[in-house]
Amino acid sequence: LAYSYSSHRTDRLKETIRISSMTAGIVSLLLTVMNLTCGKYFVSLFVEKGSQSFIYGVLFLKILCLGCPFSGIAYTIISFFQAVNEGAKSFLLAIFRKGALDIPLMYVLNGIFGMSGIVAATPIADIACCVISLILIRLWFKAYHMKMEQREAV
């Protein structure tokens, strides 16, 4: 990413992001499906089957998996902003996901849905962070194209 950015290879930059996001999304989707279908087995490796902890573990694993594909895409974009010297955007996205959104959502959703609400806050924050990341990267590319057009006009 950093090489493509510094050499002004916008086409290569976009392609790298596209491939990285697709790879992250597909791998996380496959792992999500695996966890959703085999979750009981995975939880049973750590907790005794039939126990209250097992029941909660299976439920919480299912809830947490829902945000994985979105998280993979968001982290690709967070890495992109680091590579193009936009560390502030990268930092703000990371803080937004875990601090500004995830933690307050845990309190709110706990009051509405109990313990499951606390767990549900993470995939909701992942989805929101992904959406905001996609908006920010789109805005970044628009500004970058304008900057390159101005540079070429001079």
Side-chain angles (χ1 to χ4, degrees):
L1 287 171
Y3 171 77
S4 298
Y5 171 69
S6 63
S7 63
H8 305 293
R9 295 278 315 272
T10 308
D11 56 332
R12 186 172 171 174
L13 191 59
K14 285 182 178 180
E15 184 66 10
T16 303
I17 294 165
R18 188 182 69 77
I19 290 171
S20 298
S21 293
M22 283 181 56
T23 302
I26 289 169
V27 168
S28 351
L29 187 60
L30 290 173
L31 291 172
T32 295
V33 169
M34 189 174 74
N35 279 317
L36 291 173
T37 57
C38 304
K40 288 182 181 180
Y41 170 73
F42 294 139
V43 174
S44 73
L45 294 173
F46 303 97
V47 181
E48 182 182 333
K49 278 187 177 180
S51 69
Q52 195 65 32
S53 295
F54 176 80
I55 294 166
Y56 278 126
V58 171
L59 173 65
F60 293 169
L61 181 62
K62 287 179 181 180
I63 293 170
L64 286 171
C65 283
L66 298 176
C68 288
F70 300 98
S71 183
I73 294 167
Y75 278 114
T76 299
I77 296 171
I78 288 170
S79 297
F80 163 79
F81 283 126
Q82 290 173 344
V84 299
N85 204 24
E86 294 277 355
K89 284 184 179 127
S90 177
F91 178 73
L92 289 173
L93 284 169
I95 293 298
F96 172 76
R97 179 182 164 263
K98 270 303 178 195
L101 194 58
D102 198 21
I103 294 170
L105 272 174
M106 286 179 181
Y107 284 103
V108 171
L109 295 176
N110 180 43
I112 299 170
F113 300 108
M115 243 189 312
S116 296
I118 295 171
V119 178
T122 298
I124 292 169
D126 288 338
I127 293 167
C129 184
C130 182
V131 169
I132 291 168
S133 297
L134 290 167
I135 291 168
L136 287 177
I137 198 167
R138 187 176 182 130
L139 293 172
W140 185 90
F141 271 107
K142 281 184 179 181
Y144 183 73
H145 284 300
M146 287 174 48
K147 182 179 167 183
M148 290 298 108
E149 287 173 4
Q150 290 173 349
R151 183 178 285 177
E152 289 173 5
V154 173

